[in-house]
Amino acid sequence: MTDSAFALDPRLAADTVEVGDLALCRVLLMDDARFPWLILVPRHADLTEITDLPEPDAATLWQEIRIATGVMQALAKPDKVNVAALGNVVAQLHFHVVGRFRSDPVWPGPVWGFGTRTPYPLHARAQLIERAGALFSAA
């Protein structure tokens, strides 16, 4: 069950575009053309750790991470999908689902803190959101 008091952290809102909602999580696309990157944010207020989720929601979260991983694989055909929850900069509980390629500029290192975010061209971003939304709907 989601929380009516849920609000997306302003830093996440500034760097992402909404793809849609799953049963528990808001799905976002990181607006960075260097890496295919989804973010899942459980729609509960004031959560910072995975252990803050009620147990039934924790099970739903793992199902949604599996779905998002499958969407990422279909969307970008990456060599590897990284899933992580850091929260050092944005405390709001959220999960990164990042498609990685052996040819990407930081492989095999982490994507965080590398260079400057490169927003998608608007038409490419719109197409990616549409494709991602269709893949989530079909999952």
Side-chain angles (χ1 to χ4, degrees), residues 11-31:
R11 289 163 292 198
L12 286 176
D15 293 343
T16 64
V17 180
E18 187 174 328
V19 175
D21 286 334
L22 299 172
L24 175 66
C25 292
R26 167 108 356 117
V27 180
L28 307 169
L29 172 71
M30 177 63 87
D31 193 11

Side-chain angles (χ1 to χ4, degrees), residues 6-16 28 41 89-92 94:
F6 168 78
L8 189 61
D9 182 282
R11 289 163 292 198
L12 286 176
D15 293 343
T16 64
L28 307 169
V41 185
V89 174
V90 175
Q92 182 175 37
H94 64 286

Side-chain angles (χ1 to χ4, degrees), residues 38 40 63-75 78 81-83 97 136:
L38 298 170
L40 302 179
Q63 291 169 347
E64 293 183 0
I65 288 172
R66 290 175 57 95
I67 291 167
T69 299
V71 166
M72 179 57 66
Q73 289 168 326
L75 193 62
V81 177
N82 293 166
V83 176
V97 179
F136 274 105

Side-chain angles (χ1 to χ4, degrees), residues 29-52:
L29 172 71
M30 177 63 87
D31 193 11
D32 189 345
R34 299 172 306 157
F35 310 102
W37 189 337
L38 298 170
I39 297 177
L40 302 179
V41 185
R43 292 187 321 276
H44 282 285
D46 303 323
L47 299 183
T48 58
E49 303 296 339
I50 191 169
T51 52
D52 294 339

